[in-house]
Amino acid sequence: MSMIDKNLTSFIDIASDSDFSIHNLPYGIFSDTAKGERRAGVAIGEQVLDLSVLEAKGLLSLKGGPYFNQPTLNAFIESGRDNWTQARQTIQTLLSADNETLRDNQELQSQALFKQADVTMHLPVHVPGYTDFYSSKEHATNVGTMFRDPNNALLPNWTEMPVGYNGRASTVFVSGEADIVRPSGQLKPNDSERPIFSPCKRLDFELEMAFIVGKPNQIGEPIAIENAWDHIFGMVLFNDWSARDIQKWEYVPLGPFNAKTFASEISPWIVTMDALAPFKTELPTQDPQPLAYLQETKSDSSYDINLSVAILPEGADTATTVGETNFKYMYWSMAQQLTHHTITGCKVEVGDMMGSGTISGPTPDSYGSMLEIAWNATKPVELKGGGTRTFIEDGDTVIMKGYSEKDGIRVGFGEVRGKVLPALDFNFDA
Amino acid sequence: MSMIDKNLTSFIDIASDSDFSIHNLPYGIFSDTAKGERRAGVAIGEQVLDLSVLEAKGLLSLKGGPYFNQPTLNAFIESGRDNWTQARQTIQTLLSADNETLRDNQELQSQALFKQADVTMHLPVHVPGYTDFYSSKEHATNVGTMFRDPNNALLPNWTEMPVGYNGRASTVFVSGEADIVRPSGQLKPNDSERPIFSPCKRLDFELEMAFIVGKPNQIGEPIAIENAWDHIFGMVLFNDWSARDIQKWEYVPLGPFNAKTFASEISPWIVTMDALAPFKTELPTQDPQPLAYLQETKSDSSYDINLSVAILPEGADTATTVGETNFKYMYWSMAQQLTHHTITGCKVEVGDMMGSGTISGPTPDSYGSMLEIAWNATKPVELKGGGTRTFIEDGDTVIMKGYSEKDGIRVGFGEVRGKVLPALDFNFDA
């Protein structure tokens, strides 16, 4: 499963630095026009292959269905791993240079291939539940150092469990679907005075990834760690937009709420775990060894995925990369997260999204949030053509990218991109 | 709207102490047999009126539809307030002693009326999102006194905002649908040692109510307080089952997670805000006056709803009431909760459930959780035929009830009832 056939090529022109090689084949939901009919596609080079067309012509031979003339991928994902495998193999064959079915049928190509630049992408799955973890040791240490105690930066539970919290699924949206309106809420600029109602002054991104649950459990039935990987369909890039000043005032004792529920933005293409298999790598050493229910049964339970975040100021020609990190720095694996999530009996559902938490690496150029990059506003960052930043300003566009690469083969995620608009104009009588 | 017509009676026999008078008419989803077809009904006395039958016969004259031959109430609720009003008036008329349509039609009665004892109740709405607030000052003070500092029991943000957190919608279920399996997870019995994996030893209930959102907003568009009541359809009883020992170890800094996501149990009948209108009452005085965006525009923005919680030990003949409280003790109103929830732009959806938080009154006999009733296990409670309790034991059934009463008119919620089963038997190799 994890071997790469380097000889596999497509009849479609694919640039060598494209995220969407024939080894990738990520799933998304698209339409011709913004209001056109939504259906499933696979990204290949600069194009989208319309799976609803292939399915209608009987070229996919899946069990059940139809799955792809639908506005979300949930039904396909729910149909199970045999279908995931079958679909991937069939689509890869249909796109390969050796196979004539699509290669030599211009009419079919004209029906089934669209330029990515011409289509509108939509949320690829209905997300019934969204949970955000906090699984980067470097990030948790940085935050603890800034806000608590540098000598005891990690809280005692952090190395014992993948700490996480329930997010708000209704505000998960796909890159390009909406701009980010700067949120307004309660801030407390002065410790000795009452809070004020104000636009957020410390708007931040969080460079994360998220996995999509592919198989449910039943309420009361935890997912054992040796089965956890069977429940994971694929991954996306995730910008967990955060209002740091709102968060600081609200989060004790029940956790982040208003500071996080205004915008949770993901990339449009779900890269499957099958496509990512060649890029498996080891987790960092876990010390202490986790409790038995959290002990990984495989050593290569992380993934080598290069990640970057850049800021494009309004009117600037180029974006400035402000952080470069890697998914492999995550301390807790996705399987450990999922097992912990369900250990008390919580039900997870197909389409559920589980965020990694901000992914920071060991060095200042590998941090995943402005809070860390500009170190609590003490180290402003210079942007090409856009002055300096400690947090995100109105008009800024934040762009996150991610890809794996090995032996010349590239499997990427595209990007998640969001532009910040000014806060709403509230008019209170009081 | 809020006046009670005391002369209104039904041709159906309804006991004077029934929760389901002709003034109530709460909505639920039922089926004849556990696996039978789900449709909407209204509780009346000891019976259920099948709305799908009335609708099919053209007796309800709503805009759009059909709404009631469906497995959830979401479509009906989403159809809007005009339909809510029209349905309530028509159903009340059809059930009244003065109206012959149903009264004099035995065949229609045999098709449309079922004994509640003979039907299976289901989750009345699909719950896209679930949020739990923490809005009882007495409860927050009790918890703060026990776990933090009696002299500073309330955290500084508590009187400034309705503190809340995102819950897990996938584990919301209806009373009777499932027993509660005692959860297992990480506990830390000894501060100086590592945590252990164990069945929860401090299993608790939380006596709450929850409101159901009836009208959505758009992402980025907060619901102003003067419009918030338009977004609320009705209320249910809610037992927010909690694992106190798991919670204590996990909840800093991101809030409760595993301790809450195993069972969130609601009563089957949604009592509408129209039915509750006669029982409006004043909120407690809010000091300090909230920030402008949270200032209520009406003075009678709470509700007088009597609440009780009882424990029925395995094999005992009678349940012992361990707490009696009232919804009117809530410090923050439902409108304030909803406005605060959306102030940074969070989207809410039809069917979303918003829990009140544990509702405790001012005296020890009015507390809403065993944590408070047995005061952190220092004051065991005697049960009739069941020994003593500091928390909930295997085999215990917890029963919560609620009703409003005024001028001899009663509008009630029925009950939410859950039995605790022993923990799963985990077998780890380690």
Side-chain angles (χ1 to χ4, degrees), chain A residues 131 155-157 160-161 165-166 168 170-171 184 186 194-195 197 220 249 251-255 258 261-262 289 293 340 343-344 346-347 349 352 424 428, chain B residues 131 155 157 160-161 165-166 168 170-171 184 186 194-195 197 220 249 251-255 258 261-262 289 293 340 343-344 346-347 349 352 424 428:
Chain A
T131 296
L155 288 166
N157 58 12
E160 296 288 357
M161 65 172 77
Y165 69 103
N166 299 300
R168 178 85 196 167
S170 65
T171 47
S184 295
Q186 285 198 24
R194 287 190 60 194
F197 180 82
W249 168 232
Y251 89 104
V252 178
L254 299 184
N258 279 345
T261 57
F262 60 96
Q289 187 182 45
Y293 80 97
H340 182 68
I343 191 64
T344 54
C346 181
K347 179 165 120 184
E349 299 177 282
D352 278 355
L424 297 178
F428 294 117
Chain B
T131 296
L155 289 166
N157 57 14
E160 296 288 357
M161 65 172 76
Y165 69 103
N166 298 301
R168 178 82 194 166
S170 65
T171 47
S184 296
Q186 285 198 25
R194 286 191 61 193
F197 181 81
W249 169 231
Y251 90 104
V252 178
L254 299 184
N258 279 345
T261 57
F262 60 97
Q289 187 182 45
Y293 81 96
H340 182 68
I343 191 64
T344 54
C346 181
K347 179 165 119 184
E349 299 178 282
D352 278 356
L424 297 177
F428 294 117

Coordinates of all heavy atoms in Angstrom, one line a residue, chain A residues 131 155-157 160-161 165-166 168 170-171 184 186 194-195 197 220 249 251-255 258 261-262 289 293 340 343-344 346-347 349 352 424 428, chain B residues 131 155 157 160-161 165-166 168 170-171 184 186 194-195 197 220 249 251-255 258 261-262 289 293 340 343-344 346-347 349 352 424 428:
Chain A
T131 N -13.6 18.8 16.6 CA -12.8 18.8 17.9 C -11.5 19.4 17.5 O -10.9 19.1 16.5 CB -12.7 17.4 18.4 OG1 -14.0 16.9 18.8 CG2 -11.8 17.3 19.7
L155 N 1.4 22.0 31.3 CA 0.6 21.5 32.4 C 0.8 20.0 32.6 O 1.1 19.3 31.7 CB -0.9 21.9 32.2 CG -1.2 23.4 32.3 CD1 -2.5 23.7 31.7 CD2 -1.1 23.8 33.7
P156 N 0.6 19.5 33.8 CA 0.9 18.1 34.1 C 0.1 17.1 33.3 O 0.5 16.0 33.0 CB 0.5 18.0 35.6 CG -0.2 19.2 36.0 CD 0.2 20.3 35.0
N157 N -1.1 17.5 32.8 CA -1.9 16.5 32.0 C -1.4 16.4 30.6 O -1.8 15.5 29.9 CB -3.4 16.8 32.1 CG -3.8 18.2 31.6 OD1 -2.9 18.9 31.0 ND2 -5.0 18.6 31.9
E160 N 0.3 13.3 29.4 CA -0.5 12.1 29.7 C -1.6 11.8 28.7 O -2.1 10.7 28.6 CB -1.0 12.2 31.1 CG 0.0 12.2 32.2 CD 0.8 10.9 32.4 OE1 0.4 9.9 31.8 OE2 1.7 10.9 33.3
M161 N -2.1 12.8 28.1 CA -3.2 12.7 27.2 C -3.2 13.7 26.1 O -2.6 14.8 26.3 CB -4.5 12.9 28.0 CG -4.7 14.3 28.5 SD -6.4 14.5 29.3 CE -6.2 13.7 30.8
Y165 N -10.5 19.9 22.9 CA -11.8 20.5 23.4 C -12.8 20.5 22.2 O -12.3 20.4 21.0 CB -11.6 21.9 23.9 CG -11.3 22.9 22.8 CD1 -12.2 23.8 22.3 CD2 -10.0 23.0 22.3 CE1 -11.8 24.7 21.3 CE2 -9.6 23.9 21.4 CZ -10.6 24.8 20.9 OH -10.2 25.7 19.9
N166 N -14.0 20.5 22.5 CA -15.0 20.6 21.4 C -15.1 21.9 20.7 O -15.2 22.9 21.4 CB -16.4 20.3 22.0 CG -16.5 18.9 22.6 OD1 -16.3 17.9 22.0 ND2 -16.8 18.9 23.9
R168 N -16.8 24.3 17.3 CA -18.1 24.6 16.8 C -18.2 24.2 15.3 O -17.6 24.9 14.5 CB -18.4 26.1 17.0 CG -19.7 26.6 16.5 CD -20.8 26.4 17.5 NE -22.1 26.5 16.8 CZ -23.2 26.1 17.3 NH1 -23.3 25.6 18.5 NH2 -24.3 26.3 16.6
S170 N -20.5 24.4 13.1 CA -21.2 25.2 12.2 C -20.4 26.3 11.6 O -20.8 26.9 10.6 CB -22.4 25.9 13.0 OG -22.0 26.8 14.0
T171 N -19.3 26.6 12.1 CA -18.4 27.7 11.5 C -17.2 27.2 10.8 O -16.3 27.9 10.5 CB -18.1 28.8 12.6 OG1 -17.6 28.1 13.8 CG2 -19.2 29.6 13.0
S184 N -15.8 41.0 16.9 CA -15.9 41.9 18.1 C -16.4 41.1 19.3 O -17.3 40.2 19.1 CB -16.9 43.0 17.8 OG -16.4 43.8 16.8
Q186 N -15.8 40.7 24.0 CA -15.3 41.2 25.2 C -13.8 41.1 25.3 O -13.3 40.0 25.2 CB -16.0 40.5 26.4 CG -17.4 40.9 26.7 CD -17.9 40.5 28.1 OE1 -17.1 40.4 29.0 NE2 -19.2 40.3 28.2
R194 N -13.3 47.2 34.2 CA -14.3 46.2 33.6 C -13.9 46.0 32.1 O -13.2 46.8 31.5 CB -15.7 46.8 33.7 CG -16.3 46.7 35.1 CD -17.7 47.0 35.1 NE -18.5 46.1 34.3 CZ -19.8 46.3 33.9 NH1 -20.4 47.4 34.2 NH2 -20.4 45.4 33.1
P195 N -14.4 44.9 31.6 CA -14.1 44.6 30.2 C -14.8 45.6 29.3 O -15.7 46.3 29.7 CB -14.7 43.2 29.9 CG -15.7 43.1 31.0 CD -15.2 43.8 32.2
F197 N -16.4 46.2 25.1 CA -16.8 45.6 23.9 C -16.1 46.3 22.7 O -16.1 47.5 22.6 CB -18.3 45.8 23.7 CG -18.8 45.1 22.4 CD1 -19.1 43.8 22.4 CD2 -19.0 45.9 21.2 CE1 -19.5 43.2 21.2 CE2 -19.5 45.3 20.1 CZ -19.7 43.9 20.1
G220 N -20.9 4.8 23.7 CA -20.6 3.9 24.8 C -19.5 2.9 24.3 O -19.1 2.0 25.1
W249 N -9.5 36.5 28.1 CA -10.5 37.0 29.1 C -11.6 35.9 29.3 O -12.1 35.8 30.4 CB -11.1 38.3 28.6 CG -12.3 38.8 29.3 CD1 -13.5 39.2 28.8 CD2 -12.5 39.0 30.7 NE1 -14.4 39.7 29.7 CE2 -13.8 39.5 30.9 CE3 -11.7 38.8 31.9 CZ2 -14.3 39.9 32.2 CZ3 -12.2 39.1 33.1 CH2 -13.5 39.6 33.3
Y251 N -11.5 32.3 28.7 CA -11.3 30.9 28.6 C -11.2 30.1 29.9 O -11.2 28.9 30.0 CB -10.1 30.5 27.7 CG -8.7 30.5 28.4 CD1 -8.1 29.3 28.7 CD2 -8.1 31.6 28.8 CE1 -6.9 29.2 29.3 CE2 -6.8 31.6 29.4 CZ -6.3 30.3 29.7 OH -5.0 30.3 30.3
V252 N -11.0 30.9 31.0 CA -11.0 30.2 32.3 C -12.4 30.3 32.9 O -12.9 31.4 33.0 CB -9.9 30.8 33.3 CG1 -10.0 30.2 34.6 CG2 -8.5 30.8 32.7
P253 N -13.0 29.2 33.3 CA -12.5 27.8 33.4 C -12.9 26.8 32.3 O -12.5 25.7 32.4 CB -13.1 27.4 34.8 CG -14.5 28.0 34.8 CD -14.3 29.3 34.0
L254 N -13.8 27.2 31.4 CA -14.4 26.2 30.5 C -13.8 26.1 29.1 O -14.3 25.4 28.3 CB -15.9 26.4 30.4 CG -16.7 26.3 31.8 CD1 -18.2 26.5 31.6 CD2 -16.4 25.0 32.5
G255 N -12.7 26.9 28.9 CA -12.0 26.8 27.6 C -12.4 27.8 26.6 O -13.3 28.7 26.9
N258 N -16.0 32.1 22.3 CA -16.2 33.1 21.3 C -14.9 33.4 20.5 O -14.9 33.8 19.3 CB -16.6 34.4 22.0 CG -18.1 34.5 22.3 OD1 -18.8 33.7 21.7 ND2 -18.4 35.4 23.1
T261 N -15.0 30.6 17.6 CA -16.2 30.1 16.8 C -16.6 31.0 15.7 O -17.7 30.8 15.1 CB -17.4 30.0 17.8 OG1 -17.6 31.2 18.4 CG2 -17.1 28.9 18.9
F262 N -15.8 31.9 15.3 CA -16.1 32.8 14.2 C -15.6 32.4 12.8 O -16.2 32.7 11.8 CB -15.7 34.3 14.5 CG -14.2 34.4 14.6 CD1 -13.4 34.8 13.6 CD2 -13.6 34.1 15.9 CE1 -12.0 34.9 13.7 CE2 -12.2 34.2 16.0 CZ -11.4 34.6 14.9
Q289 N 5.9 7.0 28.9 CA 5.2 6.1 28.1 C 3.7 6.3 28.4 O 3.3 6.3 29.6 CB 5.6 4.6 28.3 CG 4.9 3.7 27.3 CD 5.3 2.2 27.6 OE1 5.2 1.8 28.7 NE2 5.6 1.5 26.6
Y293 N -4.1 2.3 27.2 CA -5.1 2.6 26.2 C -4.6 3.5 25.1 O -5.2 3.5 24.0 CB -6.4 3.1 26.8 CG -6.5 4.5 27.1 CD1 -7.1 5.5 26.2 CD2 -6.0 5.0 28.3 CE1 -7.1 6.8 26.6 CE2 -6.0 6.4 28.7 CZ -6.6 7.3 27.8 OH -6.7 8.6 28.1
H340 N -8.4 8.6 22.5 CA -8.7 9.3 23.7 C -10.1 10.0 23.6 O -10.8 10.1 24.6 CB -7.6 10.4 23.9 CG -7.8 11.2 25.1 ND1 -7.7 10.7 26.4 CD2 -8.2 12.5 25.3 CE1 -7.9 11.6 27.3 NE2 -8.3 12.7 26.7
I343 N -12.7 7.4 24.5 CA -12.5 6.5 25.6 C -13.6 6.4 26.6 O -13.9 5.4 27.2 CB -11.1 6.8 26.3 CG1 -10.7 5.6 27.2 CG2 -11.1 8.1 27.0 CD1 -10.5 4.3 26.5
T344 N -14.3 7.6 26.9 CA -15.4 7.5 27.8 C -16.7 7.2 27.1 O -17.8 7.2 27.8 CB -15.6 8.9 28.5 OG1 -15.7 9.9 27.6 CG2 -14.4 9.2 29.5
C346 N -17.7 8.5 23.9 CA -18.2 9.5 22.9 C -18.3 8.9 21.5 O -17.4 8.2 21.1 CB -17.3 10.7 22.9 SG -17.8 12.0 21.8
K347 N -19.4 9.2 20.9 CA -19.6 8.8 19.5 C -19.0 9.7 18.5 O -19.1 11.0 18.7 CB -21.1 8.7 19.2 CG -21.6 8.3 17.9 CD -23.1 8.0 17.9 CE -23.9 8.8 17.0 NZ -25.3 8.5 17.1
E349 N -18.6 10.5 14.2 CA -19.4 10.3 13.0 C -18.6 10.6 11.7 O -17.7 11.3 11.8 CB -20.7 11.2 13.1 CG -21.5 10.9 14.3 CD -22.7 11.9 14.4 OE1 -22.6 13.0 14.8 OE2 -23.9 11.5 14.0
D352 N -16.7 13.9 10.8 CA -16.2 14.7 11.9 C -14.8 15.1 11.6 O -14.0 14.4 11.0 CB -16.1 13.8 13.2 CG -17.5 13.7 13.9 OD1 -18.4 14.4 13.5 OD2 -17.6 12.9 14.8
L424 N -17.5 44.5 12.0 CA -18.8 45.1 11.8 C -18.9 46.4 12.6 O -18.2 46.6 13.6 CB -19.9 44.2 12.2 CG -20.0 42.8 11.5 CD1 -21.1 42.0 12.1 CD2 -20.3 43.1 10.0
F428 N -24.7 50.6 19.5 CA -25.5 50.4 20.7 C -26.1 51.7 21.2 O -25.4 52.7 21.2 CB -24.7 49.7 21.8 CG -24.3 48.3 21.4 CD1 -22.9 48.0 21.3 CD2 -25.2 47.4 21.1 CE1 -22.5 46.8 20.9 CE2 -24.8 46.1 20.7 CZ -23.5 45.8 20.6
Chain B
T131 N -24.3 23.5 22.9 CA -23.4 24.3 23.7 C -24.0 24.3 25.2 O -25.2 24.2 25.3 CB -23.5 25.8 23.2 OG1 -22.9 25.9 21.9 CG2 -22.8 26.8 24.2
L155 N -15.2 33.5 39.3 CA -14.2 34.1 38.5 C -14.6 35.4 38.0 O -15.8 35.7 37.8 CB -13.8 33.1 37.4 CG -13.1 31.9 37.9 CD1 -13.0 30.8 36.8 CD2 -11.6 32.2 38.3
N157 N -14.7 36.9 35.1 CA -15.5 37.0 33.9 C -17.0 36.6 34.1 O -17.8 36.8 33.3 CB -14.9 36.2 32.7 CG -14.7 34.8 33.0 OD1 -15.2 34.2 34.0 ND2 -13.9 34.1 32.2
E160 N -19.7 39.1 33.9 CA -19.7 39.9 32.8 C -20.2 39.3 31.5 O -20.6 39.9 30.5 CB -18.2 40.4 32.5 CG -17.6 41.2 33.6 CD -18.1 42.6 33.6 OE1 -19.0 43.0 32.8 OE2 -17.7 43.4 34.5
M161 N -20.3 38.0 31.5 CA -20.7 37.2 30.3 C -21.3 35.9 30.7 O -21.0 35.3 31.7 CB -19.6 37.0 29.4 CG -18.5 36.1 29.9 SD -17.2 35.6 28.7 CE -16.2 37.1 28.7
Y165 N -19.4 26.7 26.9 CA -18.4 26.0 26.1 C -19.1 25.1 25.1 O -20.3 24.8 25.3 CB -17.5 25.2 27.0 CG -18.1 24.0 27.7 CD1 -17.9 22.7 27.2 CD2 -19.0 24.2 28.8 CE1 -18.6 21.7 27.8 CE2 -19.6 23.2 29.4 CZ -19.4 21.9 28.9 OH -20.0 20.8 29.5
N166 N -18.4 24.7 24.1 CA -19.0 23.8 23.1 C -19.1 22.4 23.6 O -18.1 21.9 24.1 CB -18.1 23.8 21.8 CG -18.1 25.2 21.2 OD1 -19.1 25.7 20.8 ND2 -16.9 25.7 21.0
R168 N -20.6 18.3 22.9 CA -20.5 17.3 21.8 C -21.9 16.9 21.4 O -22.6 16.1 22.1 CB -19.7 16.1 22.3 CG -19.5 15.0 21.3 CD -18.4 15.2 20.3 NE -18.5 14.3 19.2 CZ -17.8 14.4 18.1 NH1 -17.0 15.4 17.9 NH2 -18.0 13.6 17.1
S170 N -23.0 14.8 19.2 CA -23.2 13.5 18.8 C -23.7 12.6 19.9 O -24.2 11.5 19.7 CB -22.0 12.9 18.1 OG -20.9 12.8 19.1
T171 N -23.4 13.0 21.2 CA -23.8 12.2 22.3 C -25.1 12.7 23.0 O -25.3 12.3 24.1 CB -22.7 12.0 23.3 OG1 -22.0 13.2 23.5 CG2 -21.6 11.0 22.7
S184 N -15.1 5.1 31.6 CA -13.7 4.9 32.1 C -12.8 5.9 31.4 O -13.0 6.3 30.2 CB -13.2 3.5 31.7 OG -14.0 2.5 32.4
Q186 N -9.1 8.7 32.3 CA -7.9 9.1 33.1 C -8.4 9.8 34.4 O -9.1 10.8 34.4 CB -7.0 10.0 32.4 CG -6.1 9.3 31.4 CD -4.9 10.1 30.9 OE1 -4.4 10.9 31.7 NE2 -4.4 9.8 29.7
R194 N 1.4 9.4 38.9 CA 0.8 9.5 37.5 C -0.7 9.1 37.5 O -1.1 8.4 38.5 CB 1.6 8.5 36.6 CG 3.0 9.1 36.2 CD 3.6 8.2 35.1 NE 2.7 8.3 33.9 CZ 2.9 7.5 32.8 NH1 3.8 6.6 32.8 NH2 2.1 7.7 31.8
P195 N -1.4 9.5 36.5 CA -2.8 9.2 36.5 C -3.0 7.7 36.2 O -2.1 7.0 35.8 CB -3.3 10.0 35.3 CG -2.1 10.2 34.4 CD -1.0 10.3 35.3
F197 N -5.8 4.6 34.6 CA -7.0 4.4 33.8 C -8.0 3.6 34.6 O -7.7 2.5 35.1 CB -6.6 3.6 32.5 CG -7.8 3.3 31.6 CD1 -8.3 4.3 30.7 CD2 -8.5 2.1 31.7 CE1 -9.4 4.1 29.9 CE2 -9.6 1.9 30.9 CZ -10.0 2.9 30.0
G220 N -20.9 35.3 10.8 CA -20.4 36.7 10.7 C -21.5 37.7 11.1 O -21.3 38.9 11.2
W249 N -9.1 16.3 36.3 CA -7.8 16.1 35.8 C -7.6 16.6 34.4 O -6.5 17.1 34.0 CB -7.5 14.6 35.8 CG -6.3 14.1 35.1 CD1 -6.2 13.0 34.2 CD2 -4.9 14.5 35.2 NE1 -5.0 12.8 33.8 CE2 -4.1 13.7 34.4 CE3 -4.3 15.5 35.9 CZ2 -2.7 13.9 34.2 CZ3 -2.9 15.7 35.8 CH2 -2.1 14.8 34.9
Y251 N -9.5 19.2 32.7 CA -10.2 20.4 32.2 C -9.3 21.7 32.1 O -9.7 22.7 31.4 CB -11.5 20.7 33.0 CG -11.3 21.6 34.2 CD1 -11.7 22.9 34.1 CD2 -10.8 21.1 35.4 CE1 -11.6 23.7 35.2 CE2 -10.7 21.9 36.5 CZ -11.1 23.2 36.4 OH -11.0 24.0 37.5
V252 N -8.2 21.7 32.7 CA -7.3 22.9 32.6 C -6.2 22.6 31.5 O -5.6 21.5 31.6 CB -6.5 23.2 33.9 CG1 -5.6 24.4 33.7 CG2 -7.5 23.5 35.0
P253 N -6.1 23.4 30.4 CA -6.7 24.7 30.2 C -7.8 24.8 29.3 O -8.4 25.9 29.1 CB -5.5 25.5 29.7 CG -4.8 24.5 28.8 CD -5.0 23.2 29.4
L254 N -8.2 23.7 28.6 CA -9.2 23.9 27.5 C -10.6 23.5 27.8 O -11.5 23.5 26.9 CB -8.7 23.1 26.2 CG -7.3 23.6 25.7 CD1 -6.9 22.8 24.4 CD2 -7.3 25.1 25.4
G255 N -10.9 23.2 29.0 CA -12.3 22.9 29.4 C -12.6 21.5 29.5 O -11.8 20.6 29.1
N258 N -13.7 14.7 27.8 CA -14.1 13.3 28.1 C -15.1 13.2 29.2 O -15.9 12.3 29.2 CB -12.9 12.5 28.4 CG -12.1 12.0 27.2 OD1 -12.6 12.1 26.1 ND2 -10.9 11.5 27.4
T261 N -18.6 14.0 27.4 CA -19.1 13.6 26.1 C -19.6 12.2 26.0 O -19.8 11.7 24.9 CB -17.9 13.8 25.1 OG1 -16.8 13.0 25.5 CG2 -17.4 15.2 24.9
F262 N -19.9 11.6 27.1 CA -20.4 10.2 27.1 C -21.9 10.1 27.1 O -22.5 9.1 26.7 CB -19.8 9.3 28.2 CG -20.1 9.9 29.6 CD1 -21.1 9.4 30.3 CD2 -19.3 10.9 30.1 CE1 -21.4 9.8 31.6 CE2 -19.6 11.4 31.4 CZ -20.6 10.9 32.1
Q289 N -24.3 46.0 35.8 CA -25.1 46.0 34.6 C -24.3 45.5 33.4 O -23.2 45.9 33.3 CB -25.6 47.4 34.3 CG -26.6 47.5 33.1 CD -27.0 48.9 32.8 OE1 -26.1 49.8 32.7 NE2 -28.3 49.1 32.6
Y293 N -24.3 45.2 24.7 CA -24.8 44.2 23.8 C -25.5 43.1 24.5 O -26.2 42.3 23.9 CB -23.6 43.6 23.0 CG -22.7 42.5 23.6 CD1 -23.0 41.1 23.4 CD2 -21.7 42.9 24.4 CE1 -22.2 40.2 24.1 CE2 -20.9 41.9 25.1 CZ -21.1 40.6 24.9 OH -20.4 39.6 25.5
H340 N -24.7 36.3 23.3 CA -23.3 36.2 23.5 C -22.6 35.1 22.7 O -21.5 35.3 22.1 CB -23.0 35.9 25.0 CG -21.6 35.7 25.4 ND1 -20.7 36.8 25.4 CD2 -20.8 34.7 25.7 CE1 -19.5 36.4 25.7 NE2 -19.5 35.1 25.9
I343 N -21.9 36.6 19.2 CA -21.4 38.0 19.1 C -20.1 38.1 18.3 O -19.9 39.1 17.6 CB -21.1 38.6 20.6 CG1 -20.9 40.1 20.4 CG2 -20.0 37.9 21.3 CD1 -22.0 40.9 19.9
T344 N -19.3 37.1 18.2 CA -18.1 37.1 17.4 C -18.4 36.6 16.0 O -17.5 36.5 15.1 CB -16.9 36.4 17.9 OG1 -17.3 35.0 18.2 CG2 -16.4 37.0 19.2
C346 N -20.4 33.7 15.3 CA -20.7 32.2 15.2 C -22.1 32.0 14.7 O -23.1 32.7 15.0 CB -20.6 31.6 16.6 SG -20.9 29.8 16.7
K347 N -22.2 31.0 13.8 CA -23.5 30.6 13.2 C -24.2 29.6 14.2 O -23.6 28.7 14.6 CB -23.3 30.0 11.9 CG -24.5 29.5 11.1 CD -24.1 29.3 9.7 CE -24.3 27.8 9.3 NZ -23.9 27.6 7.9
E349 N -27.8 27.1 14.3 CA -28.7 26.4 13.3 C -29.9 25.9 14.0 O -30.0 25.7 15.2 CB -27.9 25.2 12.7 CG -26.6 25.7 12.0 CD -25.8 24.6 11.4 OE1 -25.1 23.9 12.1 OE2 -25.9 24.3 10.1
D352 N -30.2 23.4 17.1 CA -29.1 23.6 18.1 C -29.6 23.6 19.5 O -30.7 24.2 19.8 CB -28.3 24.9 17.9 CG -27.3 24.8 16.8 OD1 -27.1 23.7 16.2 OD2 -26.7 25.8 16.5
L424 N -17.6 -0.7 31.2 CA -17.1 -1.8 30.3 C -15.9 -2.4 30.9 O -15.2 -1.8 31.7 CB -16.7 -1.2 28.9 CG -17.8 -0.5 28.1 CD1 -17.2 0.1 26.8 CD2 -18.9 -1.5 27.8
F428 N -6.4 -4.7 28.8 CA -5.2 -4.2 28.1 C -4.1 -5.2 28.4 O -4.0 -5.8 29.5 CB -4.8 -2.8 28.7 CG -5.7 -1.8 28.3 CD1 -6.4 -1.1 29.3 CD2 -6.0 -1.5 27.0 CE1 -7.3 -0.1 29.0 CE2 -6.9 -0.5 26.7 CZ -7.6 0.2 27.7

